[in-house]
Amino acid sequence: MDYYKYEQTNDAQIQEYVNPVISRAGGFIVDVKFEENQNVKKGDTILVIDNREYVLQQEQTQASLAKAEAQLVVLGSTINTLENEASSSQAQIAANKAKVWKQGLDYDRYLKLYNEESATKQQVEKVQAQLDVDKSEYRSSQENYAASVSKIEDIRAERNVVKAEIQRLKSLLNRHKLDVTYTYITAPYNGRMGRRTVEVGQMIDAGETLAFIVNDDTDKWVVANYKETQIKDMRIGDEVKIIADAYPEKEFKGTIISLSPATGSSFSLLPPDNSTGNYVKIVQRIPIRIRVDGSRKEIDVLKVGMNVNVFASKKHS
């Protein structure tokens, strides 16, 4: 290789997405279905948490939901009964109104006869008493109808409350069903398992990291930290050559996909401040992200964290 044609650095490492496997539910581990470094497919179950408590919560919510739905049916039946009673009360009002009207006519007639001395006072009093009874029954039927209507409105309001409770219980049931699914932890994508940190019988909390998985569905890339004096000829899309320390006889191809907007030291926890103390100029390094090209089978030998040498062409000079 004509090294003078390339900008070279050995400050470079292989990178891949290494993600933690995190539990969304707490409990005791009852089964661990993977070993370190094992290949897994998306959807494979890798851990199982004791789900009995979550299932019981789900069953309790299902029972509460069934009770609320039954209560809604009972309230609907009660409304129908009260509506029938209200219709009966309306009919009774009409009948009692007619009775009052007829008895009123009889009272007027007997009162006229009494004034003409053709009827006795006892007859008039008897007719008047019956008129008072009919009026009382008329008022009572009106009150019964009003009470039935009021009860219907109350129960309709209660039905709305029960409907809202049913909706709440359905949402809670869905949440409990979701919690049950969380007790089966599956691989989020095709990949390889890394370090394992749990065993059967271990108690874990929600949000706890249980293992690590390397994503096989994404590209591998190299982060090459070039000196600031080396990057003037580098462009996105340029091809580069990569040689791993582990495989010095094999050459891999890569493509520059991005240049960092700042030096590596600028992203450190305590970036340098050259305005204080004695100033010593240090050549800074710019992280360059390079996609490793080639088939998955070809580049699978490159593992995360491996040291590599990167050679970028000077063709733009």
Side-chain angles (χ1 to χ4, degrees), residues 176-282:
H176 288 324
K177 288 179 179 178
L178 199 58
D179 287 340
V180 172
T181 66
Y182 288 159
T183 60
Y184 295 90
I185 302 172
T186 60
Y189 35 70
N190 298 331
R192 290 153 294 158
M193 300 304 300
R195 187 162 53 91
R196 166 176 150 181
T197 60
V198 292
E199 293 295 338
V200 173
Q202 182 176 336
M203 180 67 181
I204 63 169
D205 296 321
E208 188 172 337
T209 298
L210 308 177
F212 290 89
I213 183 172
V214 179
N215 190 348
D216 280 348
D217 292 336
T218 58
D219 295 325
K220 294 178 187 284
W221 70 91
V222 172
V223 175
N225 299 295
Y226 274 97
K227 296 177 182 179
E228 58 186 321
T229 56
Q230 295 178 289
I231 67 168
K232 66 183 180 66
D233 295 323
M234 295 184 187
R235 305 287 186 273
I236 293 176
D238 284 356
E239 292 185 357
V240 301
K241 297 180 181 181
I242 303 167
I243 297 178
D245 290 357
Y247 306 100
E249 75 289 347
K250 185 173 178 57
E251 185 178 288
F252 297 89
K253 302 295 184 183
T255 303
I256 295 177
I257 55 177
S258 66
L259 285 77
S260 175
T263 64
S265 62
S266 298
F267 292 115
S268 64
L269 183 62
L270 297 173
D273 185 356
N274 294 330
S275 64
T276 60
N278 295 327
Y279 170 63
V280 177
K281 183 176 181 178
I282 299 174

Side-chain angles (χ1 to χ4, degrees), residues 24-57:
R24 300 181 69 174
F28 285 96
I29 298 291
V30 295
D31 197 4
V32 179
K33 294 182 174 292
F34 76 95
E35 297 295 336
E36 291 187 358
N37 310 323
Q38 177 182 332
N39 289 320
V40 293
K41 298 292 185 182
K42 181 178 180 179
D44 285 352
T45 299
I46 55 180
L47 288 165
V48 180
I49 299 172
D50 185 358
N51 65 2
R52 287 175 293 179
E53 292 182 10
Y54 297 101
V55 171
L56 286 175
Q57 289 177 342

Side-chain angles (χ1 to χ4, degrees), residues 15-263:
Q15 299 290 333
E16 272 186 280
Y17 286 111
V18 181
N19 296 325
V21 176
I22 297 176
S23 171
R24 300 181 69 174
F28 285 96
I29 298 291
V30 295
D31 197 4
V32 179
K33 294 182 174 292
F34 76 95
E35 297 295 336
E36 291 187 358
N37 310 323
Q38 177 182 332
N39 289 320
V40 293
K41 298 292 185 182
K42 181 178 180 179
D44 285 352
T45 299
I46 55 180
L47 288 165
V48 180
I49 299 172
D50 185 358
N51 65 2
R52 287 175 293 179
E53 292 182 10
Y54 297 101
V55 171
L56 286 175
Q57 289 177 342
Q58 178 181 327
E59 291 174 349
Q60 289 174 352
T61 303
Q62 283 177 322
S64 297
L65 178 59
K67 179 181 177 181
E69 289 174 338
Q71 186 180 0
L72 189 64
V73 173
V74 170
L75 292 175
S77 177
T78 303
I79 288 176
N80 289 334
T81 300
L82 290 174
E83 286 177 341
N84 291 334
E85 290 180 0
S87 297
S88 177
S89 296
Q90 277 186 313
Q92 190 65 40
I93 288 173
N96 289 337
K97 184 177 181 181
K99 286 171 65 177
V100 169
W101 176 76
K102 180 181 179 300
Q103 195 65 24
L105 293 178
D106 288 345
Y107 174 74
D108 291 341
R109 186 166 53 252
Y110 273 94
L111 184 61
K112 185 177 181 181
L113 291 172
Y114 174 73
N115 291 333
E116 294 175 353
E117 297 182 353
S118 296
T120 64
K121 184 176 182 181
Q122 184 180 8
Q123 289 176 313
V124 174
E125 289 174 345
K126 181 179 179 181
V127 173
Q128 184 178 11
Q130 185 60 47
L131 177 60
D132 291 340
V133 170
D134 291 343
K135 287 181 177 179
S136 177
E137 290 178 351
Y138 177 58
R139 287 193 298 271
S140 177
S141 61
Q142 287 179 314
E143 291 171 356
N144 288 339
Y145 174 72
S148 295
V149 171
S150 178
K151 286 181 181 178
I152 290 172
E153 293 303 318
D154 289 344
I155 293 178
R156 281 177 177 164
E158 187 176 350
R159 282 190 74 197
N160 290 334
V161 173
V162 174
K163 285 180 180 179
E165 177 65 8
I166 287 174
Q167 189 60 44
R168 186 189 72 84
L169 289 172
K170 285 181 177 179
S171 297
L172 186 60
L173 179 60
N174 288 334
R175 173 55 194 269
H176 288 324
K177 288 179 179 178
L178 199 58
D179 287 340
V180 172
T181 66
Y182 288 159
T183 60
Y184 295 90
I185 302 172
T186 60
Y189 35 70
N190 298 331
R192 290 153 294 158
M193 300 304 300
R195 187 162 53 91
R196 166 176 150 181
T197 60
V198 292
E199 293 295 338
V200 173
Q202 182 176 336
M203 180 67 181
I204 63 169
D205 296 321
E208 188 172 337
T209 298
L210 308 177
F212 290 89
I213 183 172
V214 179
N215 190 348
D216 280 348
D217 292 336
T218 58
D219 295 325
K220 294 178 187 284
W221 70 91
V222 172
V223 175
N225 299 295
Y226 274 97
K227 296 177 182 179
E228 58 186 321
T229 56
Q230 295 178 289
I231 67 168
K232 66 183 180 66
D233 295 323
M234 295 184 187
R235 305 287 186 273
I236 293 176
D238 284 356
E239 292 185 357
V240 301
K241 297 180 181 181
I242 303 167
I243 297 178
D245 290 357
Y247 306 100
E249 75 289 347
K250 185 173 178 57
E251 185 178 288
F252 297 89
K253 302 295 184 183
T255 303
I256 295 177
I257 55 177
S258 66
L259 285 77
S260 175
T263 64

